[in-house]
Amino acid sequence: MTLAETPNVQTLLARIAEALERLSPPPPPRPDFSAADAFVWRAETQTLDPIRKVSRVELALLRGVDYLRDQLLGNTQRFARGLPANNVLLWGARGMGKSSLVKAAHADINARLAATPDFPGLKLIEIHREDIESLPALMAQLRDAAPRFIVFCDDLSFDGGDASYKSLKAALEGGVEGRPANVLFYATSNRRHLLPRDMMDNERSSAINPGEAVEEKVSLSDRFGLWLGFHKCSQDDYLAMVFAYIAHYGLEAPEEQIRAEALEWAITRASRSGRAAYQYIQDLAGRLGQKID
């Protein structure tokens, strides 16, 4: 090849740079937080999808959890006002309104503070359990944004050799940057320590120092400053939930019929809970030919 035939070095470098740009994905678009009050984090695309209508229950319909409700509302309102507040772990019995309470509290606080001058808004962002490892990337998108954010993970737990809990620990408190001041993390779980009992027992039995063997994993729960424990409700609380839904949706049926059917419904499912109460209401509304929203 003669000197005249030698390609220009600058041209070659430009072509290489263009090829690399085509291979690399474009940066995710900057989120438009004015689009909605709630979003879902899509880890595969590093984007936030706005949710126009959140599936939620009104706060007044959540019965039998008054103390827990007040604790969560107080913490959430302080955070929304820019005051110190804690990450929250809502743990315990299934169907007792853990995730419903988070969504209802979010809506309630936004409604309370809507007229407050300079209130930047409180956004709810759902992250799926399987996407926990992408939590640092989500935090990076929220760090410099004006609104305040509750990042919410429903049914959070870890099994076997799952090491993604380390990403959660670092994002909550342990990383160099730490959790952004405008972000709190709320999670629901059936487990108080987010780990199955047999996994913790196995680690203790095979360790030289049993106390230290699980310390790193159990300490994950310590990142949540507020623990709210949900327990199975009494029969009176269960019926109160049922009749609250009856009044809210304007369903008409004899009181004794409702009581007997609701109790039978709970017995057949071996569960008295808010979820069972709502499922009975759906069944009753369907039989009455009435739609409920």
Side-chain angles (χ1 to χ4, degrees):
M1 179 180 293
T2 66
L3 185 61
E5 295 173 327
T6 303
N8 183 278
V9 174
Q10 295 296 329
T11 301
L12 283 176
L13 290 176
R15 289 178 180 175
I16 293 171
E18 289 172 0
L20 291 174
E21 287 178 0
R22 287 193 297 270
L23 289 173
S24 61
R30 190 171 184 83
D32 178 13
F33 292 117
S34 65
D37 283 336
F39 299 80
V40 172
W41 170 247
R42 305 298 183 192
E44 63 278 5
T45 58
Q46 305 275 288
T47 56
L48 288 159
D49 288 352
I51 305 302
R52 308 297 180 185
K53 184 178 180 181
V54 177
S55 174
R56 60 164 57 103
V57 175
E58 291 188 18
L59 192 63
L61 293 175
L62 298 175
R63 303 298 180 93
V65 292
D66 294 2
Y67 173 78
L68 304 173
R69 176 201 63 207
D70 293 345
Q71 289 287 303
L72 187 66
L73 282 174
N75 189 75
T76 306
Q77 181 163 324
R78 288 190 291 273
F79 171 67
R81 291 182 178 276
L83 297 171
N86 281 303
N87 300 312
V88 182
L89 175 62
L90 301 90
W91 67 276
R94 293 180 177 86
M96 281 303 298
K98 299 184 292 292
S99 59
S100 294
L101 186 56
V102 171
K103 292 182 285 186
H106 165 252
D108 183 81
I109 297 304
N110 262 337
R112 289 192 199 187
L113 301 182
T116 303
D118 301 324
F119 174 55
L122 179 63
K123 308 296 181 179
L124 182 68
I125 297 180
E126 182 177 20
I127 181 171
H128 297 138
R129 157 67 188 87
E130 58 271 20
D131 295 330
I132 283 296
E133 285 188 320
S134 69
L135 189 56
L138 171 58
M139 295 289 197
Q141 293 202 26
L142 306 182
R143 186 174 298 275
D144 297 323
R148 305 186 74 75
F149 301 94
I150 294 173
V151 176
F152 171 53
C153 184
D154 193 22
D155 198 19
L156 178 64
S157 62
F158 300 93
D159 294 304
D162 189 350
S164 61
Y165 71 92
K166 294 181 180 179
S167 297
L168 178 56
K169 286 179 64 175
L172 292 183
E173 302 293 347
V176 175
E177 286 187 296
R179 172 173 51 85
N182 63 336
V183 176
L184 277 187
F185 190 82
Y186 285 10
T188 70
S189 178
N190 296 324
R191 302 167 181 165
R192 184 173 183 177
H193 289 295
L194 304 176
L195 297 166
R197 175 61 58 185
D198 58 346
M199 179 180 172
M200 294 169 63
D201 290 342
N202 287 341
E203 297 239 6
R204 285 193 179 97
S205 65
S206 61
I208 296 175
N209 188 330
E212 292 180 357
V214 295
E215 182 176 349
E216 182 185 15
K217 294 177 180 177
V218 173
S219 68
L220 172 59
S221 297
D222 294 338
R223 263 60 176 184
F224 297 89
L226 183 59
W227 291 6
L228 300 178
F230 289 69
H231 306 283
K232 293 182 179 179
C233 64
S234 66
Q235 178 173 297
D236 288 343
D237 284 337
Y238 169 71
L239 290 174
M241 296 173 189
V242 169
F243 283 107
Y245 282 124
I246 292 289
H248 179 73
Y249 293 120
L251 302 179
E252 295 184 2
E255 182 175 332
E256 286 306 312
Q257 174 192 334
I258 293 170
R259 178 185 176 89
E261 289 182 351
L263 291 177
E264 182 180 3
W265 187 274
I267 290 172
T268 59
R269 283 150 188 77
S271 172
R272 287 196 300 259
S273 66
R275 180 178 297 146
Y278 186 69
Q279 289 170 344
Y280 165 69
I281 292 299
Q282 287 181 306
D283 179 77
L284 177 62
R287 286 187 282 116
L288 294 174
Q290 183 173 334
K291 293 183 178 180
I292 58 177
D293 296 326

